Amino acid sequence: MANEGPALRERLEEIRRRGVAAFESAESQEALEAARIEFLGRGGLVSRAMSDLKALPAEEKPATGQAGNRVKKALEALLEVRSAAIAAAESGETDEVTDLTLPGRRTWQGGVHPVTRVIDEVCEIFREIGFTIATGPEIESDWHNFTSLNIPLDHPAADMHDTFYLDQGVLLRTHTSPVQARIMLEHDPPVRVLAPGLVFRRDPWDASHAPAFEQIEGLAVDEGIDFVEFRAAIDFFVHRFFGTGTRTRFRPSYFPFTEPSAEVDVTCFLCEGSGCSTCKGTGWVEIMGSGMVNPAVFEAVGYDSERFTGYAFGMGPARIALLRYRIPDIRLLYEGDAAFLEQFC
Amino acid sequence: MDVSVNWLRALVPGLEGSAQELADRISLGAIPVDRVIPVGDDLAGIVIARVTEARPHPNADRLTLCRVDAGTGEPIDVVCGAPNVEEGALYPYVAPGQELPGGFRIESRKIRGEMSHGMLCSEKELELGRDAGGIMKLEGNFEPGASFASAMSLPDARLELDLTPNRIDLACHAGVARELAPEGGTGVVLTEFPGPGWEPVWIDGRTGAESNGVSIRIADADRCFRYLGAIIRGVRVGPSPAWLQARLRGAGARPINNVVDATNYILLESNQPLHAFDLEKLAGSEIQVRAARAGEELRTLDGEKHVLTPACTVIADEDGAVALAGVMGGQESEVSPETVDLLIECAAFDPTHTRHTAAETGLATDASYRFERGIDEVGLEAALTRCVQLILAIAGGEADTEGIRVGGLPPSLAVAELRPERVRQVLGLDLSSARIEELLSPLGFGLRSDGTRELLRFDVPGWRGDVRTESDLLEEVARRHGYDAFPSEPRSFRPSSVPDAPDHERGDRVRRFFAGEGFLEARSLPFVTERRSAVDRIPLLRPLSRAEGFLRTDLASVLLSRVEHNWLRGRRSVRLFEVGTAFGSRSPRPEAPPADPSPDERDAANPFAEERRFAFVITGDRSPDHWGGSASEVDLWDLKGIVEQLAETFDLGPVAPFAGRVDECQRPFGWGMWLHDEAFEVGDGECLAGIAGRVDSRALDAPPWASPVFAGEFRLGAVQVADRRRFEPLPQYPAVARDLAFTLASTVPASEVESAIRLAAPPLLSNLQLFDVYEGEGVEEGRRSLAWRLVFRAPDRTLTDGEVDEAMTAILRRLEADFDVRIRAS
Ligand SMILES: [Zn+2]
């Protein structure tokens, strides 16, 4: 009787092989049901083989019992798969595979303007060093736009601003700098504000000029602000915005409302300083005008220029967007062309 | 402004560094250098040659056969195509086998049957200038065969400076050289001219002075502060010596004759415009500076005839105007080859009057540019003296020992003060007085003895009209120290006293909302045509074009023009939004401000108003095309859904059908573009928060395939930024849902039915939703069916059917009483 266990296991394996063949060849639910009764039914082959288990010696029972269960499970699983396949075939759904390379169903993409992206990023960075965000009117008096900023109305410096006038002494602001005066007239130091907004110049449209464009003004006034801190603030911004590998270069310049005045260059972020058409081969790109606030401006708004010092700067997010996203023509920014705007979603 | 590097080197002994290095020093220390242009770098193959014989080419009208002496001992045949070739004159010459700049190799060749060995060159061919009209005639005593480059003081480099309006002193070589002069060095050294020299005795007069029969008068002291004159008799007008021509060419100027070149040289060296009159051509014995008479005529040096107005300032002799003061001389009294006696003018004309004279005549010259920005009034004597010395050296003649000086002695130097403590406060630098002096003295600032250690007092050189205040001197110190030499050290800071502007945050939130709803942000410029700005339009006084002649009074209509732009590009589905400013006039117009108004009074007198708004526009398909089925078009209910969501998100107030009121509060929102029976108004304040609806197709230039367009515009100020959300406990007990369908008169608005249900329902009604609206077959004419889903829930127990039935009965009773409803048989 020693070989009864192995013999039963062999018989079970044979049942499994025949069962698989029978289930797979069944083409209808009826044929499948007939096969089920033959193999898995109450008096079917599997169940009969399992009842022979009882006759085995005790030590043979566990292994053979497990083998029987495996066969039963395997056939049951196959039965389920075949049944579903036959049901699908009978309901007309062939077993054709879904083409998963077809495009999915989408909604319209929304997004903010590339210039908004730049403005938001700049604001976020300056917020980290204590700046808040201010706004100011786009229609200004000539006093706010020029006089308060130490620009006499008949000075050649005013020639730099070819201005849209609306009425005697009323104009579309030529820079965001008049927000400086408005802020200082209303608030006492410490002042740290950023003022993004639209500014207007009588420049005819071309690839790099528009009669209006965005600017971001910055102003910090308190006791103890010096050129060293000013450089550090600008360096902080540049490293955060353009990357830590970017270097800055401060050059003398002229703005009536700052003194000393400086243009700030950064190493060209397209060629990383080796020279390209964007930086005209110099390796540097100019990003802002800036400087220490001229005491004359403090006096115009009633600040004590002996006690308070500060720095101010202005930059063009539209120009930065053109450079960063390599947009060749400023007109694209203001046309509202959906195909253009979608690229920045 | 162009400067020659060779000239700068001549002014600063021992100046080291390449042209590019010098340019970088100027850029980082003073003003931007736009370009560095090498001049005559590769002229090694060019020599000076004399044309000994010139005759017409037998086979070509425009060619000349030349015999040329290039110092080789042998005459050379050269065919020349230039119209200006002259026998006996000197020209640059390239021999066969040599190259032109740029690498073009010259070979012997036959031209129209005649051999040509080499070439006579124009400025353009040598890349020295733009003149291609003829070959470059060389004036001066040169030996044939001499190196052209060394005769012309080449190679050189030209720096293109981008002058800032404050630094007019950098419009000359001495000014730029001062910026490069090393600390502790000899500073800028002007070359001395050979010849007899001139040290005048000044004949002074406040308004007029006379010497040797020549009288000068300033008739209007507002127009001219000082006027100096020198008389030179017996000059020989001719070409300038080579060194002078080379200097002028190096700075981009054209040599004319020795007298004019001398005045130009002084201009380019020290910024003082000078003018030379042919003394014999001046009528009478007196010239005067005065306002032009109305209708007075003058032909200027450039050949143009001007009819003048009293806004112009002129120099006039007995017969009338002979020069435009500070702008340009007259042709009549111009120095010509026949001129023998000269009157040299060296004056300080008023900037504003010079600007008027230039503007009236449409002229902008090197002289007017400088006078308009202010010249060195202290330097007049030195400039005139140097000019006379130069003319005597190169044109001969004899100068009257008396110089005429009208308007007084030179003004004394301005004094500017600087506290070293302030250097510490503003610049963050700890500099000693000695160090400050060291930094400033190469620029010409002289430390005065009347200061103290705490207060340094400096004489400001006459050419630095831009330096008067302490902060002006601080800038000089910072520049000389070097901006890049400053440390960059973050400091601790106090938080800003200025709160965030609410409009900025509102704009942020609105942007986030629309971007999330699949809208693209447009940024349109606020300029519009007349058609787009029919209401309260604000004209620009000097618009760039008629198409952009007005400011927008609303945003939505500008977005419509953006939709049209997209239609033109064949795009049917467009979803745009914008956050921006709309403009309007204040009514009634405020009164003019008082004299010398305060900032607030100026704002109060502003006749215009502006308001931050946001607007959106939507047309085309609900979603992008998909192979699984095409999308349906956006309709009024999509619009209303957006508006309802906006109103909820930003707490804008109720959304109601547009009442069509015309008042000041509604007019701004794109008046006239909405279809009134398909529009909504939002808000419950005195003024609407906004309007949205279907756009009247007559307001649009739509292609036939376009879909209906919906838009909305809102005041940004209506957006609530305070976060009012509060937690509500989540339901603990199950809900019971009931559907209720009934018909009633079609004229009853759904909103009224909804309020009736809500009013009738006990607090158990937790949710109410209209899920079907039906009109047509099966429903009586004039009535419609509304189907609602009602959800009941109690916070503290499971509702019984009885309780819900009771609630439903109460609702039904109410509906029957109010609206004649009939329950639909299900
Ligand atoms: Zn580059």
Side-chain angles (χ1 to χ4, degrees):
Chain A
M1 298 283 280
N3 61 347
E4 277 177 28
L8 186 53
R9 289 204 287 279
E10 238 168 73
R11 199 172 115 212
L12 278 165
E13 180 53 27
E14 174 61 19
I15 290 168
R16 192 192 65 81
R17 244 180 291 129
R18 282 174 46 211
V20 167
F23 288 174
E24 290 207 324
S25 63
E27 293 288 339
S28 66
Q29 294 291 8
E30 293 74 33
L32 192 64
E33 178 62 11
R36 185 191 70 79
I37 293 167
E38 184 186 352
F39 289 90
L40 295 172
R42 198 165 286 194
L45 293 171
V46 175
S47 143
R48 268 186 279 153
M50 294 297 271
S51 64
D52 290 348
L53 200 65
K54 292 180 206 120
L56 290 184
E59 70 274 14
E60 291 281 1
K61 277 183 186 168
T64 314
Q66 280 167 16
N69 279 330
R70 272 201 302 275
V71 169
K72 192 174 174 216
K73 286 245 166 63
L75 288 177
E76 278 169 355
L78 181 60
L79 175 71
E80 201 173 306
V81 169
R82 285 301 299 153
S83 171
I86 290 167
E90 283 178 351
S91 72
E93 280 177 36
T94 56
D95 56 346
E96 192 182 291
V97 177
T98 306
D99 177 3
L100 297 178
T101 65
L102 287 170
R105 187 175 285 118
R106 307 182 63 153
T107 55
W108 294 113
Q109 276 268 70
V112 298
H113 194 277
V115 173
T116 304
R117 281 176 178 272
V118 172
I119 292 174
D120 286 352
E121 229 179 290
V122 172
C123 290
E124 276 316 301
I125 294 169
F126 277 100
R127 275 185 188 287
E128 289 178 34
I129 48 173
F131 280 71
T132 52
I133 314 298
T135 55
E138 291 169 19
I139 296 178
E140 277 289 11
S141 73
D142 52 4
W143 185 88
H144 285 94
N145 196 73
F146 293 124
T147 316
S148 76
L149 294 160
N150 198 32
I151 310 170
L153 295 176
D154 63 343
H155 192 269
D159 289 353
M160 297 201 300
H161 308 283
D162 211 351
T163 308
F164 283 115
Y165 276 89
L166 300 175
D167 200 349
Q168 178 73 37
V170 183
L171 46 82
L172 292 172
R173 65 179 177 191
T174 60
H175 46 189
T176 40
S177 307
V179 182
Q180 286 189 24
R182 291 188 174 277
I183 290 292
M184 290 190 281
L185 284 167
E186 270 182 43
H187 301 272
D188 288 327
V191 161
R192 287 172 177 262
V193 289
L194 219 55
L198 207 58
V199 302
F200 303 81
R201 308 259 172 102
R202 275 193 83 263
D203 282 336
W205 286 102
D206 66 26
S208 47
H209 294 91
F213 52 91
E214 291 82 2
Q215 207 173 56
I216 303 177
E217 189 79 8
L219 174 72
V221 183
D222 200 355
E223 287 173 345
I225 295 183
D226 58 19
F227 200 93
V228 174
E229 183 184 343
F230 156 56
R231 271 211 67 151
I234 302 301
D235 283 347
F236 172 79
F237 162 71
V238 166
H239 289 156
R240 291 294 308 273
F241 190 88
F242 296 102
T244 43
T246 310
R247 281 178 298 130
T248 56
R249 184 173 86 166
F250 286 60
R251 286 185 289 107
S253 189
Y254 173 66
F255 309 104
F257 39 101
T258 52
E259 195 167 34
S261 296
E263 285 300 344
V264 180
D265 296 342
V266 299
T267 38
C268 178
F269 37 92
L270 299 185
C271 64
E272 289 172 348
S274 59
C276 68
S277 63
T278 298
C279 57
K280 298 193 189 91
T282 62
W284 297 94
V285 178
E286 187 182 310
I287 56 149
M288 65 168 83
S290 61
M292 301 301 290
V293 179
N294 193 318
V297 173
F298 288 150
E299 276 141 32
V301 297
Y303 273 18
D304 179 353
S305 64
E306 280 292 305
R307 187 173 154 207
F308 297 110
T309 52
Y311 59 87
F313 56 87
M315 65 182 118
R319 194 171 153 271
I320 293 175
L322 295 184
L323 292 171
R324 166 183 272 197
Y325 300 112
R326 312 194 188 183
I327 301 166
D329 192 323
I330 195 169
R331 287 170 283 212
L332 287 164
L333 295 180
Y334 304 115
E335 273 175 346
D337 193 311
F340 169 81
L341 297 170
E342 269 170 348
Q343 298 183 17
F344 303 94
C345 285
Chain B
M1 173 69 200
D2 292 351
V3 296
S4 147
V5 167
N6 284 352
W7 198 337
L8 294 178
R9 289 189 203 283
L11 287 166
V12 183
L15 183 60
E16 311 244 321
S18 67
Q20 185 60 52
E21 283 162 357
L22 295 178
D24 288 345
R25 283 180 56 196
I26 297 168
S27 278
L28 291 178
I31 50 164
V33 177
D34 283 346
R35 283 207 298 168
V36 180
I37 306 158
V39 182
D41 254 354
D42 37 13
L43 296 173
I46 319 292
V47 296
I48 293 173
R50 186 186 302 280
V51 173
T52 52
E53 202 183 317
R55 57 193 170 85
H57 190 293
N59 306 323
D61 287 349
R62 296 215 177 99
L63 298 181
T64 313
L65 296 184
C66 304
R67 185 143 286 189
V68 163
D69 172 8
T72 54
E74 294 287 320
I76 304 165
D77 289 324
V78 175
V79 176
C80 179
N84 65 331
V85 62
E86 284 169 44
E87 241 173 52
L90 296 161
Y91 302 98
Y93 165 76
V94 201
Q98 300 290 344
E99 288 177 357
L100 282 174
F104 184 77
R105 181 180 281 272
I106 301 297
E107 300 293 355
S108 295
R109 61 190 183 110
K110 218 170 224 177
I111 299 174
R112 291 286 183 104
E114 299 288 335
M115 276 310 288
S116 178
H117 304 282
M119 176 181 160
L120 301 173
C121 310
S122 70
E123 271 184 23
K124 178 119 190 276
E125 283 153 347
L126 298 177
E127 295 180 359
L128 297 176
R130 288 179 203 89
D131 191 355
I135 49 179
M136 184 178 176
K137 188 176 169 191
L138 305 176
E139 306 284 359
N141 298 318
F142 300 113
E143 280 299 308
S147 156
F148 171 75
S150 53
M152 295 290 121
S153 306
L154 295 173
D156 191 0
R158 190 176 301 154
L159 308 182
E160 278 184 17
L161 306 184
D162 180 10
L163 286 184
T164 50
N166 59 327
R167 294 301 305 274
I168 185 60
D169 64 301
L170 298 181
C172 70
H173 285 76
V176 177
R178 265 177 231 119
E179 294 289 334
L180 296 169
E183 278 166 35
T186 45
V188 168
V189 178
L190 303 181
T191 39
E192 283 191 23
F193 305 126
W198 185 57
E199 276 162 33
V201 175
W202 294 108
I203 305 300
D204 278 300
R206 174 87 0 225
T207 59
E210 186 266 330
S211 162
N212 289 328
V214 177
S215 153
I216 297 174
R217 199 158 71 81
I218 298 177
D220 184 343
D222 287 344
R223 293 173 185 252
C224 179
F225 309 134
R226 298 210 296 143
Y227 194 112
L228 276 54
I231 294 156
I232 308 175
R233 300 178 199 270
V235 296
R236 287 174 309 279
V237 176
S240 293
W243 69 266
L244 177 52
Q245 293 194 30
R247 283 278 175 268
L248 296 180
R249 284 184 202 281
R254 167 169 302 283
I256 295 167
N257 62 47
N258 47 11
V259 172
V260 175
D261 290 355
T263 61
N264 280 337
Y265 179 89
I266 302 300
L267 172 80
L268 293 170
E269 181 184 76
S270 61
N271 240 9
Q272 174 62 46
L274 298 123
H275 183 65
F277 292 100
D278 185 332
L279 187 58
E280 279 174 61
K281 301 220 180 103
L282 296 176
S285 60
E286 181 184 86
I287 60 163
Q288 56 171 310
V289 187
R290 61 161 167 82
R293 307 204 165 98
E296 190 168 11
E297 290 183 358
L298 176 67
R299 192 179 292 277
T300 42
L301 281 176
D302 56 1
E304 288 295 312
K305 194 162 126 185
H306 300 276
V307 180
L308 307 177
T309 70
C312 302
T313 307
V314 295
I315 316 300
D317 66 7
E318 201 176 85
D319 294 345
V322 294
L324 289 172
V327 179
M328 195 183 270
Q331 205 172 46
E332 188 66 23
S333 55
E334 177 186 13
V335 172
S336 70
E338 291 76 41
T339 299
V340 183
D341 297 341
L342 303 171
L343 169 65
I344 312 292
E345 162 198 293
C346 180
F349 295 110
D350 171 61
T352 306
H353 283 97
T354 307
R355 185 147 70 237
H356 293 160
T357 307
E360 286 285 308
T361 52
L363 291 170
T365 61
D366 286 343
S368 67
Y369 181 81
R370 289 166 174 82
F371 282 121
E372 284 174 29
R373 285 158 182 81
I375 52 127
D376 174 7
E377 249 192 90
V378 182
L380 293 186
E381 281 79 359
L384 179 58
T385 304
R386 201 160 155 74
C387 184
V388 170
Q389 285 170 348
L390 178 54
I391 291 173
L392 295 176
I394 63 176
E398 210 171 312
D400 287 5
T401 42
E402 290 179 348
I404 305 168
R405 178 161 65 185
V406 185
L409 298 174
S412 51
L413 294 178
V415 176
E417 298 177 336
L418 176 63
R419 291 164 291 170
E421 177 48 39
R422 190 74 175 162
V423 174
R424 208 162 5 253
Q425 186 190 6
V426 177
L427 300 183
L429 295 179
D430 213 345
L431 300 182
S432 67
S433 315
R435 179 63 188 147
I436 292 170
E437 189 196 355
E438 228 168 49
L439 290 171
L440 295 183
S441 73
L443 297 177
F445 293 93
L447 184 64
R448 293 165 58 96
S449 54
D450 56 359
T452 64
R453 267 152 75 93
E454 288 75 37
L455 181 72
L456 308 181
R457 306 191 82 228
F458 285 95
D459 281 325
V460 178
W463 58 79
R464 289 305 301 273
D466 61 314
V467 175
R468 289 294 177 267
T469 65
E470 184 171 50
S471 82
D472 295 335
L473 282 179
L474 279 175
E475 180 166 61
E476 297 303 295
V477 171
R479 286 197 308 114
R480 294 296 286 186
H481 179 72
Y483 284 5
D484 277 339
F486 279 84
S488 170
E489 287 166 11
R491 304 268 159 90
S492 63
F493 57 83
R494 297 199 282 169
S496 180
S497 69
V498 187
D500 274 321
D503 270 357
H504 183 77
E505 192 179 346
R506 291 185 179 116
D508 265 4
R509 294 214 186 170
V510 166
R511 286 189 178 95
R512 244 176 287 150
F513 175 90
F514 280 107
E517 293 291 320
F519 284 77
L520 297 164
E521 185 189 13
R523 282 179 173 265
S524 332
L525 298 192
F527 306 111
V528 290
T529 65
E530 204 155 354
R531 180 172 80 88
R532 291 278 185 210
S533 58
V535 180
D536 296 337
R537 58 190 189 180
I538 300 181
L540 301 170
L541 295 186
R542 280 175 66 222
L544 281 172
S545 68
R546 282 170 66 100
E548 297 182 322
F550 297 87
L551 288 178
R552 65 182 172 195
T553 54
D554 68 277
L555 271 61
S557 63
V558 177
L559 281 182
L560 295 183
S561 72
R562 302 299 87 201
V563 169
E564 288 166 348
H565 173 89
N566 281 282
W567 279 340
L568 280 176
R569 287 163 187 237
R571 187 176 175 121
R572 203 167 64 85
S573 296
V574 185
R575 304 157 70 95
L576 297 174
F577 77 98
E578 178 162 358
V579 181
T581 305
F583 301 89
S585 297
R586 283 171 58 196
S587 113
R589 194 188 155 104
E591 280 176 31
D596 196 17
S598 71
D600 285 346
E601 285 166 339
R602 279 170 209 276
D603 282 345
N606 182 354
F608 306 105
E610 60 182 85
E611 184 175 56
R612 297 289 288 169
R613 304 264 185 86
F614 64 95
F616 67 92
V617 60
I618 179 168
T619 179
D621 293 334
R622 284 203 179 109
S623 58
D625 272 343
H626 187 258
W627 54 269
S630 58
S632 48
E633 277 188 352
V634 167
D635 65 18
L636 189 65
W637 307 110
D638 292 297
L639 170 86
K640 194 178 182 201
I642 293 164
V643 173
E644 285 168 347
Q645 250 167 284
L646 267 174
E648 253 169 59
T649 310
F650 299 125
D651 215 353
L652 300 176
V655 178
F658 183 47
R661 283 178 300 157
V662 184
D663 60 32
E664 285 309 311
C665 289
Q666 286 178 25
R667 280 165 68 86
F669 299 107
W671 182 249
M673 57 181 267
W674 313 104
L675 285 178
H676 284 202
D677 48 4
E678 291 186 55
F680 305 96
E681 55 182 51
V682 181
D684 50 5
E686 197 164 301
C687 275
L688 291 183
I691 291 179
R694 179 164 174 176
V695 176
D696 192 335
S697 59
R698 285 168 299 184
L700 292 161
D701 197 356
W705 42 261
S707 312
V709 177
F710 302 90
E713 174 156 351
F714 297 83
R715 301 179 202 278
L716 192 62
V719 168
Q720 300 301 317
V721 282
D723 196 340
R724 296 193 190 153
R725 283 168 289 201
R726 295 294 179 269
F727 170 74
E728 275 180 32
L730 300 177
Q732 301 284 328
Y733 294 90
V736 178
R738 294 284 172 88
D739 289 354
L740 180 61
F742 48 80
T743 68
L744 77 175
S746 301
T747 49
V748 179
S751 62
E752 285 184 25
V753 179
E754 182 180 335
S755 345
I757 295 174
R758 286 191 190 280
L759 272 175
L764 301 179
L765 181 66
S766 72
N767 196 3
L768 175 65
Q769 197 190 353
L770 179 66
F771 69 87
D772 189 46
V773 179
Y774 178 75
E775 216 163 344
E777 208 179 321
V779 175
E780 209 179 312
E781 182 84 12
R783 293 176 73 85
R784 62 173 174 170
S785 156
L786 302 179
W788 305 79
R789 171 149 302 151
L790 297 84
V791 178
F792 298 92
R793 193 198 296 273
D796 52 353
R797 65 187 189 281
T798 303
L799 288 174
T800 64
D801 276 353
E803 282 176 291
V804 177
D805 288 344
E806 205 178 303
M808 288 296 283
T809 310
I811 289 165
L812 260 178
R813 215 172 283 140
R814 177 73 190 234
L815 290 174
E816 277 163 354
D818 286 5
F819 305 117
D820 173 34
V821 306
R822 280 173 227 159
I823 302 301
R824 287 193 79 189
S826 55

